[in-house]
Amino acid sequence: MEIYRIIKGQATPPWLYKAYDYARMDAFVFGQNIPVESEYSHDEPDEELEAIVITDDHKPVGGCRITYPRPGIGKIGRVCVTRERQRTGIGRILVKEAEKWIKENGYTHIVINSQDRAAGFYRKCGYVLVPGADPGIYENYQHPKGEARPNLGFTCVLVEKFLEE
């Protein structure tokens, strides 16, 4: 298994972006029937992306994004594992690698805007639910006024973790 970092501002091989997109497409678009327009409508340009990508035997199996939405806060987003590799520990490896990178950058407070059905997974990774919090407070994208969010069969919740310094 290989773990790669896509680092903002550094030259990244184009295949690494495609590997991350493959994992997202498989997990979210095909695996959860999320419309492709919804999945990719608010991505930053590739040159602004920071992400972890995991491959196994030269095939993409998972990935996640990392952002820093507010001073002192790191955010893990779009955690995805291909359907055939779900429930094999790849998600836990992704979260641990993202935490490691965020901590290397000097941050100890991490938030994740999660699907409600994935909250149990994050709890097992040491995260706690922030009851009543608007999970969109750390999002860079806001739906335009009057535009309804598509009903995707789940709601979003905010989970957080404080790492030891």
Side-chain angles (χ1 to χ4, degrees):
M1 191 172 312
E2 301 79 36
I3 300 171
Y4 299 95
R5 290 182 179 182
I6 295 174
I7 302 171
K8 178 172 47 177
Q10 289 191 8
T12 301
W15 65 264
L16 204 47
Y17 296 108
K18 291 175 181 4
Y20 179 52
D21 283 341
Y22 175 86
R24 279 179 70 184
M25 189 77 73
D26 186 75
F28 295 126
V29 176
F30 292 107
Q32 297 181 18
N33 290 319
I34 294 175
V36 68
E37 302 87 353
S38 294
E39 178 58 27
Y40 289 93
S41 66
H42 51 278
D43 280 4
E44 66 273 350
D46 282 351
E47 60 272 7
E48 295 295 313
L49 176 66
E50 290 199 336
I52 306 269
V53 178
I54 297 180
T55 64
D56 192 21
D57 195 24
H58 306 284
K59 294 173 185 67
V61 296
C64 67
R65 314 171 92 68
I66 297 174
T67 58
Y68 300 93
R70 294 200 182 152
I73 298 175
K75 180 175 181 273
I76 302 171
R78 307 314 296 151
V79 178
C80 57
V81 177
T82 58
R83 290 172 290 168
E84 71 177 31
R85 296 301 295 272
Q86 291 176 1
R87 302 195 189 311
T88 64
I90 302 290
R92 186 176 294 272
I93 293 168
L94 277 169
V95 170
K96 288 292 178 205
E97 286 295 319
E99 289 174 353
K100 178 181 169 186
W101 191 3
I102 290 168
K103 189 171 182 179
E104 286 171 11
N105 285 325
Y107 296 80
T108 57
H109 183 195
I110 300 175
V111 296
I112 301 173
N113 182 353
S114 166
Q115 295 177 12
D116 56 353
R117 58 190 174 204
F121 164 74
Y122 292 113
R123 190 171 26 259
K124 290 177 185 173
C125 293
Y127 288 79
V128 296
L129 181 65
V130 183
D134 173 7
I137 62 174
Y138 297 110
E139 296 294 323
N140 293 330
Y141 174 81
Q142 299 296 322
H143 282 276
K145 290 185 181 194
E147 178 184 311
R149 289 188 115 141
N151 182 356
L152 301 173
F154 58 84
T155 57
C156 289
V157 296
L158 185 69
V159 297
E160 70 180 351
K161 182 177 189 178
F162 291 88
L163 303 175
E164 293 181 21
E165 294 193 39

